[in-house]
Amino acid sequence: VVLELAGSPFHTDAGLHPVRGLLELRCGITRLTAPAERLALLCAEVAARGLDPTSMVPSLAPVLGIGAETGYEPVAAEGRKLSDVIAAAVQTYLLACIGDGAGLVVAEDVHWFDPSTLEVLGALLRSADGRLMVVVTGRPDGWLPIDWPVKVFDLAPLTDEQTDTLITALNPTVTAEDRAAVAGRCDGVPFYIEQVVAGLSET
């Protein structure tokens, strides 16, 4: 099982936005999904993970922006206590998605994660029991908590040779001249290389 949590530069202040993205994807919720249908889809997803919708949905619904007026009993808590209840429910849900087998959580662009999502990710890392791998990517901006049980790999830009190999793997038809142009433009950053090569393919 692979779960992906993706940070967004447009939602750095939105609580649990990476979790919301994952929930929406797994529930089949889109921007156009009506609130009542959102609730029904969430209930179905929670039940499919072997969890009790009656106890779990009130804690997960706020993550999806589903108000209690749609038909569930809200959690009898507020402030920090409510945040803790929601965070615990999110962790329970994520672990239920992984199930009894091995799992991989990929957290990308964590430098854009909000504090609540960082807490959830930290709790996952601390609860890993040998069958869960968590891969975290982020820019070196001081976001990494010192108490996380992680091994850090500082990735340097690709060399010219590595860049050339990546470009060829992405699109073997790119000419030597274009490969040199891409390498000069992208400074060895794999993401940029991929985007530029994709642009070459489209044109």
Side-chain angles (χ1 to χ4, degrees):
V1 176
V2 179
L3 302 179
E4 296 185 30
L5 299 170
S8 166
F10 306 109
H11 301 93
T12 55
D13 296 326
L16 296 172
H17 184 268
V19 175
R20 177 174 180 153
L22 174 67
L23 266 174
E24 288 178 339
L25 180 65
R26 294 185 67 89
C27 291
I29 292 172
T30 70
R31 290 186 303 106
L32 303 178
T33 307
E37 187 181 356
R38 282 174 171 258
L39 180 62
L41 290 169
L42 175 61
C43 288
E45 168 61 14
V46 167
R49 300 305 125 223
L51 301 172
D52 176 26
T54 303
S55 60
M56 288 293 294
V57 166
S59 301
L60 293 176
V63 178
L64 293 171
I66 304 172
E69 67 277 3
T70 57
Y72 69 87
E73 189 68 29
V75 176
E78 57 185 22
R80 180 65 196 183
K81 185 177 180 182
L82 177 59
S83 296
D84 290 343
V85 170
I86 291 173
V90 167
Q91 183 177 1
T92 298
Y93 169 75
L94 293 176
L95 292 175
C97 289
I98 294 167
D100 296 328
L104 171 64
V105 175
V106 179
E108 296 188 83
D109 293 325
V110 178
H111 53 279
W112 286 324
F113 277 25
D114 60 280
S116 296
T117 307
L118 284 174
E119 287 183 14
V120 167
L121 189 56
L124 272 180
L125 283 164
R126 287 186 286 272
S127 67
D129 58 3
R131 61 185 179 85
L132 174 63
M133 175 180 283
V134 182
V135 177
V136 179
T137 70
R139 296 176 185 168
D141 292 335
W143 52 265
L144 181 65
I146 59 173
D147 62 337
W148 277 12
V150 297
K151 183 172 183 178
V152 177
F153 297 89
D154 290 319
L155 301 180
L158 300 181
T159 64
D160 289 344
E161 182 180 352
Q162 291 168 333
T163 298
D164 197 69
T165 300
L166 176 58
I167 296 169
T168 302
L170 292 170
N171 186 346
T173 66
V174 176
T175 65
E177 183 180 355
D178 284 342
R179 288 200 305 273
V182 171
R185 177 177 174 187
C186 297
D187 297 324
V189 179
F191 175 76
Y192 296 148
I193 295 167
E194 184 178 356
Q195 296 299 307
V196 173
V197 172
L200 290 175
S201 300
E202 291 171 4
T203 56

